[in-house]
Short mmCIF file of all heavy atoms in Angstrom, two decimals:
data_model
loop_
_atom_site.label_atom_id
_atom_site.label_comp_id
_atom_site.label_asym_id
_atom_site.label_seq_id
_atom_site.Cartn_x
_atom_site.Cartn_y
_atom_site.Cartn_z
N GLU A 1 0.83 -1.21 0.00
CA GLU A 1 0.00 0.00 0.00
C GLU A 1 0.87 1.26 0.00
O GLU A 1 0.56 2.24 -0.69
CB GLU A 1 -0.93 0.00 1.22
CG GLU A 1 -2.00 -1.07 1.22
CD GLU A 1 -1.46 -2.46 1.56
OE1 GLU A 1 -0.30 -2.54 2.06
OE2 GLU A 1 -2.17 -3.45 1.31
N SER A 2 1.95 1.24 0.76
CA SER A 2 2.85 2.40 0.81
C SER A 2 3.56 2.59 -0.52
O SER A 2 3.76 3.73 -0.97
CB SER A 2 3.88 2.22 1.92
OG SER A 2 3.27 2.16 3.18
N ILE A 3 3.94 1.49 -1.16
CA ILE A 3 4.60 1.57 -2.46
C ILE A 3 3.70 2.24 -3.48
O ILE A 3 4.11 3.14 -4.22
CB ILE A 3 5.00 0.16 -2.95
CG1 ILE A 3 6.11 -0.42 -2.08
CG2 ILE A 3 5.46 0.21 -4.41
CD1 ILE A 3 6.43 -1.87 -2.38
N GLU A 4 2.45 1.83 -3.53
CA GLU A 4 1.53 2.37 -4.53
C GLU A 4 1.21 3.84 -4.27
O GLU A 4 1.11 4.63 -5.22
CB GLU A 4 0.27 1.50 -4.58
CG GLU A 4 0.59 0.09 -5.07
CD GLU A 4 -0.62 -0.80 -5.20
OE1 GLU A 4 -1.74 -0.35 -4.86
OE2 GLU A 4 -0.45 -1.95 -5.63
N ALA A 5 1.07 4.21 -3.00
CA ALA A 5 0.85 5.62 -2.68
C ALA A 5 2.07 6.45 -3.09
O ALA A 5 1.93 7.57 -3.61
CB ALA A 5 0.58 5.78 -1.19
N PHE A 6 3.24 5.88 -2.89
CA PHE A 6 4.48 6.57 -3.26
C PHE A 6 4.59 6.72 -4.77
O PHE A 6 4.93 7.80 -5.28
CB PHE A 6 5.67 5.79 -2.72
CG PHE A 6 7.01 6.28 -3.21
CD1 PHE A 6 7.50 7.52 -2.83
CD2 PHE A 6 7.77 5.50 -4.07
CE1 PHE A 6 8.72 7.98 -3.28
CE2 PHE A 6 9.00 5.94 -4.52
CZ PHE A 6 9.47 7.19 -4.13
N LEU A 7 4.32 5.66 -5.53
CA LEU A 7 4.45 5.71 -6.98
C LEU A 7 3.44 6.66 -7.62
O LEU A 7 3.64 7.14 -8.73
CB LEU A 7 4.31 4.31 -7.57
CG LEU A 7 5.44 3.32 -7.23
CD1 LEU A 7 5.14 1.94 -7.81
CD2 LEU A 7 6.79 3.84 -7.73
N GLU A 8 2.35 6.93 -6.92
CA GLU A 8 1.34 7.86 -7.44
C GLU A 8 1.80 9.31 -7.32
O GLU A 8 1.21 10.20 -7.93
CB GLU A 8 0.02 7.68 -6.67
CG GLU A 8 -0.72 6.39 -6.97
CD GLU A 8 -1.40 6.39 -8.34
OE1 GLU A 8 -1.27 7.40 -9.05
OE2 GLU A 8 -2.06 5.40 -8.68
N LYS A 9 2.85 9.57 -6.53
CA LYS A 9 3.28 10.95 -6.28
C LYS A 9 3.80 11.64 -7.55
O LYS A 9 3.69 12.85 -7.68
CB LYS A 9 4.39 10.96 -5.22
CG LYS A 9 3.94 10.66 -3.82
CD LYS A 9 5.12 10.78 -2.86
CE LYS A 9 4.73 10.52 -1.43
NZ LYS A 9 5.90 10.66 -0.51
N GLY A 10 4.40 10.89 -8.45
CA GLY A 10 4.96 11.52 -9.64
C GLY A 10 6.34 12.09 -9.41
O GLY A 10 6.65 13.20 -9.84
N MET A 11 7.20 11.32 -8.74
CA MET A 11 8.58 11.74 -8.55
C MET A 11 9.38 11.47 -9.83
O MET A 11 8.99 10.66 -10.67
CB MET A 11 9.21 10.97 -7.38
CG MET A 11 8.57 11.25 -6.05
SD MET A 11 8.89 12.96 -5.53
CE MET A 11 7.97 13.02 -4.00
N THR A 12 10.50 12.15 -9.97
CA THR A 12 11.37 11.94 -11.12
C THR A 12 12.00 10.55 -11.05
O THR A 12 12.43 10.10 -9.99
CB THR A 12 12.49 13.00 -11.15
OG1 THR A 12 11.88 14.28 -11.28
CG2 THR A 12 13.44 12.76 -12.31
N LEU A 13 12.05 9.88 -12.18
CA LEU A 13 12.70 8.57 -12.28
C LEU A 13 14.11 8.79 -12.82
O LEU A 13 14.29 9.48 -13.83
CB LEU A 13 11.90 7.65 -13.21
CG LEU A 13 12.41 6.23 -13.43
CD1 LEU A 13 11.23 5.27 -13.62
CD2 LEU A 13 13.34 6.14 -14.64
N ARG A 14 15.08 8.21 -12.14
CA ARG A 14 16.46 8.29 -12.60
C ARG A 14 16.81 6.96 -13.27
O ARG A 14 16.86 5.93 -12.61
CB ARG A 14 17.40 8.58 -11.42
CG ARG A 14 17.15 9.97 -10.83
CD ARG A 14 17.88 10.16 -9.51
NE ARG A 14 17.69 11.51 -8.99
CZ ARG A 14 16.63 11.92 -8.31
NH1 ARG A 14 15.65 11.06 -8.05
NH2 ARG A 14 16.52 13.16 -7.87
N LEU A 15 17.01 7.04 -14.56
CA LEU A 15 17.18 5.83 -15.37
C LEU A 15 18.63 5.63 -15.76
O LEU A 15 19.27 6.53 -16.31
CB LEU A 15 16.31 5.96 -16.64
CG LEU A 15 16.44 4.85 -17.68
CD1 LEU A 15 15.98 3.52 -17.11
CD2 LEU A 15 15.63 5.21 -18.93
N ALA A 16 19.14 4.45 -15.50
CA ALA A 16 20.52 4.11 -15.87
C ALA A 16 20.49 3.05 -16.96
O ALA A 16 19.76 2.06 -16.88
CB ALA A 16 21.27 3.58 -14.65
N CYS A 17 21.29 3.29 -18.00
CA CYS A 17 21.40 2.34 -19.10
C CYS A 17 22.85 2.30 -19.56
O CYS A 17 23.73 2.87 -18.91
CB CYS A 17 20.45 2.72 -20.25
SG CYS A 17 20.65 4.41 -20.86
N LEU A 18 23.11 1.63 -20.66
CA LEU A 18 24.49 1.45 -21.12
C LEU A 18 24.69 2.01 -22.52
O LEU A 18 23.86 1.80 -23.41
CB LEU A 18 24.86 -0.04 -21.11
CG LEU A 18 24.90 -0.72 -19.74
CD1 LEU A 18 25.05 -2.22 -19.90
CD2 LEU A 18 26.03 -0.15 -18.89
N LYS A 19 25.81 2.71 -22.69
CA LYS A 19 26.20 3.17 -24.02
C LYS A 19 26.74 1.98 -24.82
O LYS A 19 27.10 0.94 -24.24
CB LYS A 19 27.29 4.24 -23.91
CG LYS A 19 26.85 5.51 -23.20
CD LYS A 19 28.01 6.51 -23.13
CE LYS A 19 27.62 7.78 -22.42
NZ LYS A 19 28.74 8.74 -22.35
N PRO A 20 26.82 2.11 -26.13
CA PRO A 20 27.34 0.99 -26.95
C PRO A 20 28.74 0.52 -26.55
O PRO A 20 29.07 -0.66 -26.71
CB PRO A 20 27.33 1.56 -28.37
CG PRO A 20 26.23 2.56 -28.36
CD PRO A 20 26.29 3.19 -26.99
N ASN A 21 29.57 1.43 -26.00
CA ASN A 21 30.92 1.03 -25.60
C ASN A 21 30.96 0.45 -24.19
O ASN A 21 32.03 0.14 -23.66
CB ASN A 21 31.89 2.20 -25.71
CG ASN A 21 31.57 3.33 -24.72
OD1 ASN A 21 30.59 3.25 -23.98
ND2 ASN A 21 32.39 4.37 -24.72
N GLY A 22 29.79 0.33 -23.55
CA GLY A 22 29.71 -0.25 -22.21
C GLY A 22 29.74 0.75 -21.07
O GLY A 22 29.56 0.38 -19.92
N ASP A 23 29.98 2.03 -21.38
CA ASP A 23 29.98 3.05 -20.33
C ASP A 23 28.56 3.24 -19.79
O ASP A 23 27.59 3.17 -20.55
CB ASP A 23 30.48 4.39 -20.87
CG ASP A 23 31.98 4.40 -21.11
OD1 ASP A 23 32.65 3.47 -20.63
OD2 ASP A 23 32.46 5.33 -21.80
N PRO A 24 28.43 3.53 -18.49
CA PRO A 24 27.11 3.78 -17.93
C PRO A 24 26.59 5.17 -18.33
O PRO A 24 27.37 6.09 -18.56
CB PRO A 24 27.34 3.68 -16.42
CG PRO A 24 28.77 4.07 -16.25
CD PRO A 24 29.49 3.55 -17.46
N PHE A 25 25.28 5.29 -18.38
CA PHE A 25 24.64 6.57 -18.69
C PHE A 25 23.39 6.67 -17.82
O PHE A 25 22.64 5.71 -17.67
CB PHE A 25 24.23 6.62 -20.16
CG PHE A 25 23.61 7.92 -20.59
CD1 PHE A 25 24.39 8.99 -21.00
CD2 PHE A 25 22.22 8.10 -20.57
CE1 PHE A 25 23.83 10.21 -21.39
CE2 PHE A 25 21.65 9.31 -20.94
CZ PHE A 25 22.45 10.36 -21.36
N ILE A 26 23.20 7.84 -17.22
CA ILE A 26 22.03 8.03 -16.37
C ILE A 26 21.31 9.31 -16.74
O ILE A 26 21.95 10.31 -17.08
CB ILE A 26 22.43 8.03 -14.87
CG1 ILE A 26 21.19 8.02 -13.98
CG2 ILE A 26 23.33 9.21 -14.55
CD1 ILE A 26 21.48 7.70 -12.54
N VAL A 27 19.97 9.27 -16.71
CA VAL A 27 19.18 10.43 -17.09
C VAL A 27 17.95 10.52 -16.19
O VAL A 27 17.30 9.51 -15.89
CB VAL A 27 18.74 10.32 -18.58
CG1 VAL A 27 17.91 9.08 -18.83
CG2 VAL A 27 18.00 11.57 -19.03
N PRO A 28 17.62 11.72 -15.70
CA PRO A 28 16.37 11.91 -14.97
C PRO A 28 15.23 12.11 -15.97
O PRO A 28 15.39 12.84 -16.95
CB PRO A 28 16.63 13.18 -14.15
CG PRO A 28 17.63 13.94 -14.97
CD PRO A 28 18.46 12.93 -15.71
N CYS A 29 14.12 11.45 -15.75
CA CYS A 29 13.04 11.58 -16.74
C CYS A 29 11.66 11.40 -16.08
O CYS A 29 11.53 10.81 -15.01
CB CYS A 29 13.21 10.56 -17.86
SG CYS A 29 13.39 8.85 -17.34
N TRP A 30 10.67 11.95 -16.76
CA TRP A 30 9.29 11.72 -16.37
C TRP A 30 8.96 10.26 -16.65
O TRP A 30 9.55 9.62 -17.52
CB TRP A 30 8.35 12.60 -17.19
CG TRP A 30 8.37 14.05 -16.82
CD1 TRP A 30 9.15 14.66 -15.89
CD2 TRP A 30 7.55 15.07 -17.39
NE1 TRP A 30 8.88 16.00 -15.84
CE2 TRP A 30 7.90 16.28 -16.76
CE3 TRP A 30 6.57 15.08 -18.37
CZ2 TRP A 30 7.29 17.48 -17.07
CZ3 TRP A 30 5.95 16.29 -18.69
CH2 TRP A 30 6.31 17.48 -18.05
N HIS A 31 7.98 9.76 -15.91
CA HIS A 31 7.52 8.40 -16.19
C HIS A 31 6.04 8.31 -15.86
O HIS A 31 5.49 9.14 -15.13
CB HIS A 31 8.30 7.38 -15.35
CG HIS A 31 7.93 7.40 -13.89
ND1 HIS A 31 8.39 8.36 -13.02
CD2 HIS A 31 7.13 6.58 -13.16
CE1 HIS A 31 7.90 8.14 -11.81
NE2 HIS A 31 7.12 7.06 -11.86
N GLN A 32 5.41 7.29 -16.40
CA GLN A 32 4.02 7.00 -16.07
C GLN A 32 3.93 5.56 -15.61
O GLN A 32 4.25 4.64 -16.35
CB GLN A 32 3.10 7.23 -17.29
CG GLN A 32 1.62 7.04 -17.01
CD GLN A 32 1.07 8.09 -16.04
OE1 GLN A 32 1.60 9.20 -15.96
NE2 GLN A 32 0.03 7.75 -15.31
N TRP A 33 3.53 5.38 -14.36
CA TRP A 33 3.45 4.05 -13.77
C TRP A 33 2.12 3.40 -14.13
O TRP A 33 1.06 3.99 -13.98
CB TRP A 33 3.59 4.17 -12.25
CG TRP A 33 3.25 2.91 -11.50
CD1 TRP A 33 3.79 1.68 -11.69
CD2 TRP A 33 2.29 2.77 -10.44
NE1 TRP A 33 3.23 0.77 -10.81
CE2 TRP A 33 2.32 1.42 -10.04
CE3 TRP A 33 1.44 3.66 -9.80
CZ2 TRP A 33 1.49 0.95 -9.01
CZ3 TRP A 33 0.63 3.18 -8.78
CH2 TRP A 33 0.66 1.84 -8.40
N GLU A 34 2.18 2.16 -14.61
CA GLU A 34 0.99 1.39 -14.94
C GLU A 34 1.02 0.10 -14.13
O GLU A 34 1.88 -0.77 -14.33
CB GLU A 34 0.93 1.07 -16.44
CG GLU A 34 -0.33 0.33 -16.85
CD GLU A 34 -0.37 0.09 -18.35
OE1 GLU A 34 -0.31 1.08 -19.11
OE2 GLU A 34 -0.46 -1.10 -18.77
N LYS A 35 0.09 -0.03 -13.21
CA LYS A 35 0.09 -1.18 -12.30
C LYS A 35 -0.42 -2.44 -13.00
O LYS A 35 -1.38 -2.40 -13.77
CB LYS A 35 -0.78 -0.89 -11.09
CG LYS A 35 -0.86 -2.04 -10.09
CD LYS A 35 -1.82 -1.74 -8.95
CE LYS A 35 -1.96 -2.94 -8.02
NZ LYS A 35 -2.93 -2.69 -6.92
N LYS A 36 0.23 -3.55 -12.71
CA LYS A 36 -0.25 -4.86 -13.14
C LYS A 36 -1.18 -5.39 -12.06
O LYS A 36 -0.85 -5.39 -10.88
CB LYS A 36 0.91 -5.82 -13.35
CG LYS A 36 0.48 -7.22 -13.77
CD LYS A 36 1.66 -8.15 -13.90
CE LYS A 36 1.21 -9.56 -14.28
NZ LYS A 36 2.36 -10.50 -14.38
N GLU A 37 -2.36 -5.84 -12.46
CA GLU A 37 -3.35 -6.32 -11.51
C GLU A 37 -2.75 -7.43 -10.64
O GLU A 37 -2.17 -8.39 -11.14
CB GLU A 37 -4.58 -6.84 -12.24
CG GLU A 37 -5.77 -7.11 -11.33
CD GLU A 37 -6.30 -5.84 -10.68
OE1 GLU A 37 -6.23 -4.77 -11.31
OE2 GLU A 37 -6.77 -5.93 -9.52
N GLY A 38 -2.91 -7.26 -9.33
CA GLY A 38 -2.44 -8.28 -8.39
C GLY A 38 -0.98 -8.19 -8.04
O GLY A 38 -0.47 -8.97 -7.24
N CYS A 39 -0.26 -7.23 -8.61
CA CYS A 39 1.18 -7.10 -8.34
C CYS A 39 1.42 -6.60 -6.92
O CYS A 39 0.75 -5.68 -6.46
CB CYS A 39 1.82 -6.15 -9.34
SG CYS A 39 3.60 -5.96 -9.11
N THR A 40 2.37 -7.22 -6.23
CA THR A 40 2.75 -6.78 -4.89
C THR A 40 4.11 -6.09 -4.90
O THR A 40 4.67 -5.80 -3.86
CB THR A 40 2.79 -7.97 -3.91
OG1 THR A 40 3.74 -8.93 -4.39
CG2 THR A 40 1.42 -8.61 -3.78
N HIS A 41 4.67 -5.89 -6.11
CA HIS A 41 5.94 -5.16 -6.30
C HIS A 41 7.11 -5.90 -5.65
O HIS A 41 8.05 -5.28 -5.17
CB HIS A 41 5.84 -3.74 -5.76
CG HIS A 41 4.59 -3.05 -6.18
ND1 HIS A 41 4.36 -2.69 -7.49
CD2 HIS A 41 3.47 -2.71 -5.50
CE1 HIS A 41 3.15 -2.13 -7.58
NE2 HIS A 41 2.60 -2.14 -6.39
N GLY A 42 7.04 -7.20 -5.68
CA GLY A 42 8.13 -8.01 -5.17
C GLY A 42 9.06 -8.44 -6.28
O GLY A 42 9.21 -7.75 -7.30
N LYS A 43 9.64 -9.60 -6.12
CA LYS A 43 10.63 -10.09 -7.09
C LYS A 43 10.05 -10.21 -8.48
O LYS A 43 10.73 -9.94 -9.48
CB LYS A 43 11.16 -11.45 -6.62
CG LYS A 43 12.22 -12.04 -7.52
CD LYS A 43 12.71 -13.36 -6.98
CE LYS A 43 13.75 -13.99 -7.90
NZ LYS A 43 14.22 -15.29 -7.40
N ASP A 44 8.78 -10.61 -8.58
CA ASP A 44 8.16 -10.82 -9.89
C ASP A 44 7.25 -9.67 -10.29
O ASP A 44 6.20 -9.86 -10.91
CB ASP A 44 7.37 -12.14 -9.90
CG ASP A 44 8.27 -13.35 -9.62
OD1 ASP A 44 9.37 -13.36 -10.18
OD2 ASP A 44 7.85 -14.23 -8.86
N CYS A 45 7.62 -8.46 -9.93
CA CYS A 45 6.82 -7.27 -10.27
C CYS A 45 6.62 -7.20 -11.78
O CYS A 45 7.58 -7.27 -12.55
CB CYS A 45 7.52 -6.02 -9.77
SG CYS A 45 6.67 -4.48 -10.17
N GLY A 46 5.38 -7.08 -12.20
CA GLY A 46 5.09 -7.03 -13.63
C GLY A 46 4.53 -5.70 -14.07
O GLY A 46 3.93 -5.59 -15.15
N CYS A 47 4.70 -4.66 -13.24
CA CYS A 47 4.21 -3.33 -13.61
C CYS A 47 5.05 -2.76 -14.75
O CYS A 47 6.14 -3.25 -15.06
CB CYS A 47 4.28 -2.40 -12.41
SG CYS A 47 3.17 -2.85 -11.06
#
């Protein structure tokens, strides 16, 4: 319940990915959370 209330806030998402040469890259971005029915946001989170 706390996780879902938190995700509804609309905080900035900091996304880390990899450049083609393997260097890390991080960017702050907007996001839209879409909940998967029955998800408890554990190991098998499907959101």
Side-chain angles (χ1 to χ4, degrees):
E1 293 75 14
S2 297
I3 291 172
E4 295 182 358
F6 171 68
L7 293 177
E8 289 286 2
K9 288 183 179 181
M11 297 292 178
T12 298
L13 181 147
R14 295 169 177 82
L15 175 63
C17 55
L18 295 171
K19 297 179 180 180
N21 66 358
D23 287 347
F25 182 86
I26 189 166
V27 60
C29 54
W30 287 3
H31 73 282
Q32 184 66 27
W33 168 55
E34 183 177 302
K35 180 184 176 182
K36 178 183 179 181
E37 192 64 33
C39 181
T40 59
H41 314 291
K43 182 178 178 181
D44 299 318
C45 178
C47 294

